[in-house]
């Protein structure tokens, strides 16, 4: 049987936004959880939701395990199997990893919404927020962070 916790309500008093620039070193998963937490701390967020949006089509955002780095290695392997380079893609404007990167981005998505409760990002014990870089070479990626909710008053 399911159980619903006590219900907490808060007014949306604040909409705060910032752009996070993430330097990647090539294909892989880059954890940005601490950056999102730092954003929430700077605005003194209390209760609401943080929207995380990636402004690119060849990278993606995911919530994944942050305890064992082998998980990220295996995820890269799995995505390569789903969308391999040199598979006869028509679109190869920027090289053989171009179209596979777009497919991986489509599969994972480019936006996340995470609840914020009591000033804390409401992730599970082993969850982290990651930017997944799907291109072989390094890039600078822009991530839009936007908090909607209540903040501490000065």
């Amino acid at each position: 049987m399911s159980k619903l916790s006590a219900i907490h309500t808060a007014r949306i008093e604040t909409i705060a936004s910032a752009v996070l620039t993430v330097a990647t070193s090539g294909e892989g998963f880059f954890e940005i959880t601490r950056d999102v937490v730092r954003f929430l701390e700077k605005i003194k967020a209390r209760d609401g939701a943080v929207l995380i949006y990636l402004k690119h089509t060849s990278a993606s955002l995911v919530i994944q395990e942050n305890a064992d780095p082998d998980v990220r290695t295996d995820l890269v392997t799995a995505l390569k199997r789903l969308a391999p380079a040199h598979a006869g893609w028509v679109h190869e404007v920027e090289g053989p990893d171009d179209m596979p990167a777009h497919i991986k981005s489509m599969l994972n998505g480019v936006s996340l919404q995470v609840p914020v409760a009591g000033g804390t990002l409401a992730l599970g014990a082993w969850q982290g927020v990651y930017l997944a870089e799907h291109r072989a070479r390094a890039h600078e990626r822009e991530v839009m962070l936007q908090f909607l909710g209540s903040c501490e008053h000065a």
Side-chain angles (χ1 to χ4, degrees):
M1 176 175 252
S2 301
K3 181 181 176 185
L4 181 65
S5 73
I7 297 173
H8 175 78
T9 62
R11 293 179 185 260
I12 294 180
E13 301 167 347
T14 304
I15 299 175
S17 303
V19 175
L20 172 67
T21 301
V22 180
T24 69
S25 56
E27 191 171 30
F29 287 77
F30 300 85
E31 189 167 9
I32 61 170
T33 310
R34 286 186 189 98
D35 299 303
V36 176
V37 167
R38 190 175 72 236
F39 165 69
L40 296 172
E41 289 170 347
K42 282 188 175 205
I43 63 168
K44 297 182 179 173
R46 293 302 309 150
D47 297 293
V50 63
L51 311 174
I52 309 165
Y53 176 75
L54 180 64
K55 299 167 74 172
H56 301 276
T57 61
S58 58
S60 59
L61 294 170
V62 298
I63 294 175
Q64 254 315 323
E65 178 179 325
N66 64 359
D68 184 352
D70 288 345
V71 170
R72 295 184 295 279
T73 300
D74 288 342
L75 289 171
V76 169
T77 300
L79 289 171
K80 283 182 178 180
R81 289 177 183 160
L82 290 171
H86 306 290
W89 307 112
V90 175
H91 177 75
E92 288 191 342
V93 173
E94 296 179 44
D97 69 341
D98 194 4
M99 192 61 215
H102 293 300
I103 294 167
K104 295 168 189 177
S105 174
M106 178 186 69
L107 292 172
N108 288 341
V110 295
S111 67
L112 299 170
Q113 177 179 323
V114 181
V116 176
T120 302
L121 202 55
L123 292 170
W126 307 112
Q127 290 182 319
V129 179
Y130 290 88
L131 185 149
E133 175 61 70
H134 303 305
R135 300 302 306 271
R137 68 177 179 82
H139 283 80
E140 279 202 351
R141 302 298 191 171
E142 289 188 349
V143 180
M144 181 78 179
L145 303 176
Q146 188 170 64
F147 174 78
L148 292 83
S150 63
C151 295
E152 287 181 22
H153 297 287

